Amino acid sequence: MNKILIFLALINFAAAQQLLNVSYDATRELFKEYNALFVKYYEQKSGKKIKILQSHGGSGAQARMLIDGLKADVATLALAYDINAVARKSGALDASWQEEFPLNSAPYNSTIVFLVRKGNPKGIKDWDDLVRNDVKIVTPNPKTSGGARYNHLAAYAYAAAKFDGDEDKIREFLVKLYANAPVLDAGARGSANTFIRRGIGDAMIAWENEAHLSKARLGEDEFEIIYPSLSILAQPPVAVLSKNAAANGNAPLAREYLARLYLPDAQEIIAKNFFRPTDESVAKKYEKTFPRINLISIESFGGWDAAQKRHFSDGGEFDKIYEIVAKGKK
């Protein structure tokens, strides 16, 4: 009898409609909770069981998997640039994808902060402290991580303001910053493991949600979050990979899955997972969690395409900076 029940359960599982969401490191907990909400909602609405699969990694690495042919239904990556690259190189969605959902298809926001150890023993308060000789930092690799690209641009903007746009001094500042990073992990979650579990570094440059989650998982008293004087507005976008979703028979489901992120109950989940909700009524409830800080936007760099070309393409600013760093470590 038990074998029959197991067999029937396997048939039902195989028959369940499946949707694949390819996302980035920092959204694991968010989508685990949101997926449970959506699965329950969809079954109550339609009477149909669905299963949502998650894939997480550095945003740039995830985009390359999609370009290489992974037939996901939706992408919820860290950068609009990464989804633009998927559109250009794979044809899995149209170039106008940001017009499909409100707010340029960004249902939540974030920013970049510092996570330091209990008591902040090195007295880290701002970007200047991260380039001191007595400080070691943890940050991912901008070549593979969307969060790391935000980290880099926030540091660059701070240095640009500090040195009144002097490119030599800005580059010198960033060389010192990366020279203080003993390892560049592929993604944000890898960096969190390096900082928290391996005990490397005095400060981690992190997604705001990753910093809060680290405190929540390991104890409020174990770490402190430092908000620098200047950071960057992160607007992680979402997109239906329309060609893939249609081929998978998931086009309406995929669109509803992303559209529902904007509704208040989903926005509550977003806020509880320490992303900044875009719904004003929900955001107002979490004002103490998300302090107002001075944020620059990606438009200050001419948009993501311009920022990617100048800073993160082969031979770009990051490569030039890290070449100097590598020579200094020999």
Side-chain angles (χ1 to χ4, degrees):
M1 183 64 179
N2 287 339
K3 289 183 179 179
I4 294 173
L5 291 175
I6 292 170
F7 177 70
L8 291 173
L10 288 172
I11 291 174
N12 288 333
F13 177 80
Q17 190 174 3
Q18 294 188 358
L19 179 121
L20 175 57
N21 173 12
V22 170
S23 195
Y24 63 106
D25 267 340
T27 61
R28 295 170 193 266
E29 292 79 9
L30 164 60
F31 280 111
K32 182 178 180 181
E33 190 171 349
Y34 173 67
N35 289 349
L37 171 77
F38 187 83
V39 166
K40 182 177 179 181
Y41 151 78
Y42 194 80
E43 184 175 358
Q44 290 174 342
K45 169 196 166 184
S46 66
K48 297 178 181 178
K49 291 184 180 294
I50 59 170
K51 183 175 179 61
I52 301 171
L53 306 176
Q54 297 177 223
S55 172
H56 296 272
S59 187
Q62 294 290 84
R64 280 193 289 278
M65 286 202 307
L66 293 170
I67 291 166
D68 290 341
L70 179 63
K71 301 301 182 185
D73 300 288
V74 300
T76 57
L77 298 180
L79 315 177
Y81 176 82
D82 288 333
I83 300 180
N84 282 338
V86 175
R88 284 195 307 268
K89 297 178 181 180
S90 76
L93 71 168
D94 293 334
S96 59
W97 62 271
Q98 279 188 288
E99 299 172 10
E100 187 167 7
F101 300 105
L103 305 173
N104 289 322
S105 292
Y108 44 83
N109 298 327
S110 191
T111 189
I112 299 303
V113 301
F114 308 152
L115 187 69
V116 299
R117 303 191 187 282
K118 180 179 180 179
N120 191 9
K122 292 294 179 76
I124 292 165
K125 297 297 182 186
D126 213 341
W127 293 98
D128 281 326
D129 296 309
L130 302 189
V131 301
R132 286 169 19 204
N133 292 334
D134 65 327
V135 169
K136 295 298 179 187
I137 68 165
V138 173
T139 182
N141 189 333
K143 290 289 192 176
T144 53
S145 166
R149 279 174 268 180
Y150 277 119
N151 296 354
H152 177 100
L153 294 177
Y156 181 95
Y158 176 85
K162 178 181 176 68
F163 299 116
D164 197 26
D166 187 315
E167 290 295 339
D168 290 337
K169 291 182 179 179
I170 296 169
R171 186 175 291 175
E172 182 182 353
F173 184 90
L174 288 167
V175 166
K176 290 179 180 178
L177 183 76
Y178 285 110
N180 281 351
V183 61
L184 296 180
D185 291 290
R189 188 54 54 89
S191 280
N193 287 334
T194 294
F195 183 71
I196 294 164
R197 301 191 186 283
R198 296 173 61 194
I200 293 174
D202 303 299
M204 177 174 71
I205 310 175
W207 287 105
E208 183 179 38
N209 81 294
E210 194 75 34
H212 278 287
L213 284 173
S214 297
K215 290 189 68 177
R217 285 195 299 260
L218 298 167
E220 289 292 320
D221 295 333
E222 293 301 313
F223 299 95
E224 297 179 25
I225 297 174
I226 305 298
Y227 283 86
S229 62
L230 177 68
S231 194
I232 189 167
L233 174 64
Q235 296 175 297
V238 301
V240 175
L241 302 172
S242 50
K243 183 179 177 181
N244 296 349
N248 295 339
N250 284 338
L253 175 63
R255 192 182 192 288
E256 189 169 9
Y257 174 74
L258 295 182
R260 208 178 185 290
L261 284 165
Y262 291 86
L263 297 186
D265 57 353
Q267 291 279 301
E268 284 280 350
I269 290 174
I270 284 164
K272 288 176 181 176
N273 283 276
F274 305 110
F275 286 91
R276 297 186 175 218
T278 53
D279 182 285
E280 291 184 5
S281 63
V282 178
K284 189 170 181 61
K285 294 167 60 176
Y286 290 88
E287 286 178 335
K288 291 184 179 179
T289 303
F290 305 114
R292 292 180 180 273
I293 56 175
N294 187 20
L295 299 175
I296 59 163
S297 76
I298 191 61
E299 299 309 317
S300 301
F301 296 90
W304 267 115
D305 284 351
Q308 177 71 27
K309 182 177 181 180
R310 180 179 178 190
H311 291 273
F312 310 116
S313 62
D314 289 344
E317 282 298 310
F318 172 75
D319 283 355
K320 293 173 183 175
I321 288 163
Y322 210 71
E323 184 178 355
I324 298 170
V325 172
K327 287 180 180 178
K329 289 182 177 180
K330 288 182 179 179

